[in-house]
């Protein structure tokens, strides 16, 4: 590494100057009105829409779901239209299953503002195997998880979203495409916990008996670009919801494959 061009130099200088000053810095964040956030999915079990708002950086995150909205799902392929109703938690639901290849639109009318998003129902994916193995890293042994799932060899350019849940809560996720597919199968690898649990962060830690649920879904191009921008730490992904005002979130129409594995560190090979 050419240390003269290292980004660590200005960062180190800044850190030293802050330490030398020993003074609290009061950053003035620009205040903006809350932005609507809509997370919508359509799969083989039906449609689910959750509506929230962004919160200021100096306040605790508010995940309260917004109600009082009008939410509809339109199958733009056959013209059918369905109204989503809120449940006791505030999520808007419909038992309508998506049909692969059909194009769908969700319309949300809330507080006098209208938002809409479209997604094409993707093809189903089947998980064929899930396993864990210890690998040796310079700092410790790390448990990697391998999830194998089917890919349609007749099409190219397909993208996928892998999500891991630890005891029912989000743990890891990644996106990829079918360039590494072999004989109609894709193998996705995720690094998880260290062997030395005393040196592991709580966000990464797995302990004996943890239940890991893996889900895989094929995703369309706009969804892939948005998720890929998030993995790169950027904010240049596409805006998936359209409206007069900005709206964050996504609408994904895709069947979801899932499977479970229980973490037993002493039973993992490697």
């Amino acid at each position: 590494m050419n240390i003269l061009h290292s980004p660590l130099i200005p960062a180190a200088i800044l850190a030293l100057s802050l330490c030398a000053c020993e003074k609290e810095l009061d950053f003035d964040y620009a205040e903006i009105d809350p932005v609507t956030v809509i997370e919508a999915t359509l799969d083989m079990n039906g449609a689910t829409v959750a509506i929230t708002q962004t919160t200021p950086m100096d306040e605790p995150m508010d995940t309260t779901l917004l109600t009082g909205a009008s939410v509809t799902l339109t199958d733009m392929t056959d013209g059918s239209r369905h109204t989503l109703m809120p449940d006791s938690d505030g999520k808007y639901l419909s038992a309508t299953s998506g049909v692969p290849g059909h194009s769908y639109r969700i319309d949300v009318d809330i507080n006098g503002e209208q938002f809409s998003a479209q997604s094409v129902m993707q093809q189903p994916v089947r998980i064929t195997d899930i396993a864990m193995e210890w690998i040796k890293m310079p700092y410790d042994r790390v448990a990697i998880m391998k999830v194998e799932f089917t890919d349609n060899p007749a099409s190219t350019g397909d993208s996928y979203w892998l999500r891991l849940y630890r005891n029912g809560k989000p743990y890891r996720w990644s996106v990829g495409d079918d360039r590494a597919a072999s004989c109609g199968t894709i193998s996705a690898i995720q690094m998880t916990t260290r062997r030395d649990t005393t040196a592991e962060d709580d966000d990464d830690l797995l302990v004996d008996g943890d239940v890991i649920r893996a889900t895989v879904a094929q995703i369309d191009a706009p969804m892939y670009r948005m998720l890929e921008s998030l993995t790169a730490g950027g904010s240049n992904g596409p805006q998936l919801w359209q409206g007069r005002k900005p709206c964050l979130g996504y609408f994904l129409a895709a069947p979801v494959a899932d499977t479970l594995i229980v973490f037993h560190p002493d039973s993992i090979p490697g």
Side-chain angles (χ1 to χ4, degrees):
M1 180 180 68
N2 185 348
I3 197 168
L4 295 178
H5 293 87
S6 171
L8 298 177
I9 298 300
I13 293 175
L14 176 59
L16 290 173
S17 64
L18 293 179
C19 293
C21 291
E22 294 186 358
K23 178 181 179 182
E24 289 188 9
L25 298 180
D26 185 14
F27 292 95
D28 184 18
Y29 294 101
E31 293 187 4
I32 62 173
D33 294 333
V35 177
T36 302
V37 181
I38 305 175
E39 297 171 277
T41 59
L42 174 64
D43 57 24
M44 56 282 193
N45 298 315
T48 302
V49 176
I51 309 172
T52 56
Q53 284 185 326
T54 57
T55 52
M57 294 191 66
D58 57 351
E59 295 183 12
M61 181 177 293
D62 185 0
T63 58
T64 304
L65 296 179
L66 302 183
T67 56
S70 172
V71 183
T72 58
L73 170 69
T74 302
D75 185 329
M76 301 178 67
T77 302
D78 65 20
S80 60
R81 191 168 182 266
H82 310 272
T83 299
L84 280 67
M85 303 302 296
D87 66 3
S88 58
D89 295 327
K91 293 181 179 179
Y92 288 82
L93 307 175
S94 170
T96 303
S97 299
V99 179
H102 282 211
S103 179
Y104 292 89
R105 186 184 74 235
I106 286 185
D107 295 284
V108 176
D109 188 329
I110 184 168
N111 298 329
E113 295 294 335
Q114 293 80 41
F115 305 101
S116 66
Q118 296 185 28
S119 182
V120 177
M121 188 72 176
Q122 302 299 298
Q123 297 299 317
V125 174
R126 182 171 58 88
I127 296 176
T128 57
D129 189 30
I130 182 171
M132 301 190 74
E133 180 181 346
W134 291 110
I135 62 170
K136 185 173 178 56
M137 301 293 286
Y139 51 89
D140 196 2
R141 290 189 178 274
V142 176
I144 62 168
M145 177 175 289
K146 182 175 71 172
V147 181
E148 292 186 352
F149 53 92
T150 57
D151 172 65
N152 183 6
S155 63
T156 58
D158 297 328
S159 301
Y160 299 92
W161 187 14
L162 169 65
R163 286 169 284 179
L164 302 181
Y165 298 85
R166 176 183 56 185
N167 301 323
K169 296 182 179 180
Y171 176 64
R172 291 277 196 275
W173 65 270
S174 63
V175 292
D177 54 41
D178 60 0
R179 284 177 292 181
S182 175
C183 300
T185 301
I186 294 177
S187 295
I189 302 296
Q190 280 279 3
M191 295 183 67
T192 64
T193 190
R194 295 174 57 160
R195 184 62 162 165
D196 181 7
T197 58
T198 62
E200 189 60 281
D201 295 332
D202 289 342
D203 290 341
D204 302 321
L205 179 65
L206 293 179
V207 298
D208 190 21
D210 278 350
V211 178
I212 308 300
R213 174 176 173 242
T215 71
V216 178
Q218 184 175 332
I219 57 178
D220 56 19
M223 185 71 175
Y224 176 79
R225 291 197 299 271
M226 186 196 77
L227 292 173
E228 190 179 39
S229 71
L230 293 177
T231 60
S235 58
N236 60 343
Q239 181 174 324
L240 302 185
W241 287 92
Q242 305 300 317
R244 188 176 64 88
K245 289 186 175 181
C247 180
L248 303 176
Y250 62 88
F251 170 36
L252 173 63
V256 178
D258 70 276
T259 190
L260 297 175
I261 187 171
V262 180
F263 181 71
H264 293 306
D266 294 337
S267 302
I268 297 176

